[in-house]
Amino acid sequence: MAGDADVVVAAKKPYYFELVAGRTYYWCACGRSRKQPFCDGSHKGTGIEPLAYKATAAEEVLLCACKKTGTPPFCDGSHNNLSEVYDRDDPDSPANRAIPMIAADADGKARLNGGCAVCTIEPETLERKGVLGHRRIIGAEDGALHQSLFYLECARGVSPVVGFGDRHVVLFVSAGVGRVVIAGRSFPIDTNAGAYVRPGETFCLENDGEAPFKVFAAACPRADAIEWHEAMASNFDDKLPKRVVGLDRHARHTMGDRFFQMLVDKSIGSDVATQFIGDIPLSKATPHRHLYEESLIILSGEGCMWTEEKKAPVRAGDVIFLPRKQLHSLECTDPGGMLVVGVIYPGDNPSINY
Ligand code: FES
């Protein structure tokens, strides 16, 4: 019987592939095939057999190349843990030294390659509705297709009722303490906690203190504007009672020398809009891509966001928009590390990269 030790790592990154609906593929499980990621018969004598997979739909997928995945034939991010250190790039290599640092445009956005942008939030640019300051940070103007991000700042009092129609809404509290009322049900929520609002539900923010209650709201798929409601419908989905998730050291996943913790994910009913919080040590990641669209908020520390031909500084409070398939690398230049929170959509695993 073949064991894990008999499996050869064909590559440390998955293979991007476009499946054809109805076709059956034979994924190489042994790692020896010269026609990766598919079987060429080289497994003979190893006791390992290829995995037959019939595609039910035409779709873009990442097929596991390290052969360590727990979800064969698809990548589950296991390649990130093949070494103790997350794959790094040298920011001082001759090629990287030639990449220029760019400044933000007048709207506070530094525009990198392929629609990737670093957005700085200027408090004076907020619009007001009652006690709520608000602004769209990421939207159609950035080329976003799958998600938009709004910044909400609630002064003392109760905010107007906010909705995003039939979309998933993923909230994150970046400062302050208060309550989020979702479809008539009230949840206390603290700094660095995430919350999930189901499609069709609305929410408001409550702040009893003097310090502003700062909340990011990601709408998935993209919403171009906030819907303001006169009253909140009491249509809370009782089948999914847990909606707020805070930091929990025991819920951390490792990824090389990094960690991340899922906040809003399928464990609380959000299958395709996923929020995670994680740390990045002093380092520059090897450039890579994702199949999901991502918004990333820098919570502490500073660094630099790189694409093929441009880079821009990032610091606490900034937001990064990352389109699907855009090559990128986030560098932390802070000896104390960088804390980030991200929303990916559509996707359920932020460690899957290629
Ligand atoms: S060659 Fe690897 S499973 Fe067939």
Side-chain angles (χ1 to χ4, degrees):
M1 183 77 187
D4 199 47
D6 301 310
V7 169
V8 173
V9 174
K12 285 189 174 178
K13 287 266 173 80
Y15 300 102
Y16 169 88
F17 191 73
E18 294 174 11
L19 295 175
V20 175
R23 192 170 291 177
T24 297
Y25 300 90
Y26 293 88
W27 174 74
C28 167
C30 75
R32 290 166 173 78
S33 171
R34 294 207 196 113
K35 291 187 180 165
Q36 293 293 337
F38 304 112
C39 174
D40 71 351
S42 300
H43 60 271
K44 275 201 184 82
T46 64
I48 302 173
E49 293 293 323
L51 179 82
Y53 178 80
K54 183 168 183 182
T56 53
E59 75 181 304
E60 298 174 305
V61 293
L62 296 177
L63 297 171
C64 173
C66 74
K67 314 299 174 184
K68 308 284 186 191
T69 181
T71 56
F74 305 110
C75 171
D76 70 351
S78 292
H79 59 275
N80 293 310
N81 285 319
L82 289 177
S83 52
E84 286 180 2
V85 174
Y86 191 78
D87 244 5
R88 292 184 176 184
D89 187 28
D90 177 8
D92 287 320
S93 71
N96 283 337
R97 286 171 82 101
I99 295 178
M101 184 80 84
I102 63 159
D105 294 336
D107 62 358
K109 293 184 179 179
R111 293 181 167 82
L112 301 166
N113 298 110
C116 178
V118 175
C119 317
T120 299
I121 303 167
E122 306 291 356
E124 61 274 13
T125 61
L126 298 188
E127 297 172 56
R128 299 220 74 84
K129 189 165 175 79
V131 297
L132 196 69
H134 61 94
R135 200 197 124 177
R136 186 177 64 221
I137 308 296
I138 295 170
E141 65 277 15
D142 303 296
L145 298 172
H146 302 281
Q147 64 170 288
S148 47
L149 187 71
F150 294 79
Y151 174 66
L152 309 172
E153 193 172 296
C154 187
R156 186 185 183 96
V158 179
S159 81
V161 177
V162 171
F164 289 101
D166 208 20
R167 296 173 180 83
H168 303 270
V169 181
V170 180
L171 306 177
F172 181 78
V173 178
S174 64
V177 178
R179 288 180 298 279
V180 57
V181 183
I182 302 172
R185 192 162 303 184
S186 180
F187 297 87
I189 189 165
D190 212 339
T191 303
N192 285 347
Y196 177 47
V197 181
R198 295 277 299 152
E201 295 176 339
T202 57
F203 70 95
C204 71
L205 305 175
E206 296 180 353
N207 181 7
D208 297 335
E210 294 304 328
F213 185 31
K214 299 181 179 180
V215 176
F216 287 86
C220 309
R222 194 191 78 209
D224 292 327
I226 294 174
E227 293 173 5
W228 303 105
H229 293 253
E230 287 299 313
M232 182 179 293
S234 296
N235 59 338
F236 186 85
D237 186 342
D238 281 310
K239 292 192 289 295
L240 299 168
K242 182 174 178 181
R243 299 302 185 88
V244 172
V245 184
L247 287 182
D248 177 0
R249 288 193 146 268
H250 304 291
R252 289 180 175 188
H253 300 267
T254 55
M255 197 161 73
D257 54 348
R258 303 172 173 215
F259 87 85
F260 69 96
Q261 182 202 325
M262 307 305 283
L263 293 175
V264 170
D265 71 351
K266 48 192 161 192
S267 70
I268 62 166
S270 184
D271 292 334
V272 285
T274 301
Q275 181 189 54
F276 65 95
I277 188 167
D279 82 326
I280 299 173
L282 185 69
S283 62
K284 178 182 185 296
T286 296
H288 58 274
R289 306 170 200 265
H290 309 293
L291 284 183
Y292 44 75
E293 199 169 86
E294 183 172 15
S295 58
L296 203 59
I297 304 161
I298 310 296
L299 300 174
S300 68
E302 58 185 15
C304 189
M305 186 66 178
W306 301 64
T307 52
E308 297 95 320
E309 296 166 339
K310 298 177 186 178
K311 62 181 181 181
V314 297
R315 62 175 199 272
D318 286 347
V319 171
I320 298 169
F321 170 61
L322 187 57
R324 293 177 74 237
K325 301 184 182 178
Q326 171 56 42
L327 191 72
H328 67 281
S329 161
L330 181 57
E331 177 189 11
C332 169
T333 57
D334 196 320
M338 194 187 253
L339 189 67
V340 300
V341 63
V343 171
I344 64 172
Y345 182 86
D348 62 4
N349 184 342
S351 69
I352 297 179
N353 50 33
Y354 70 105

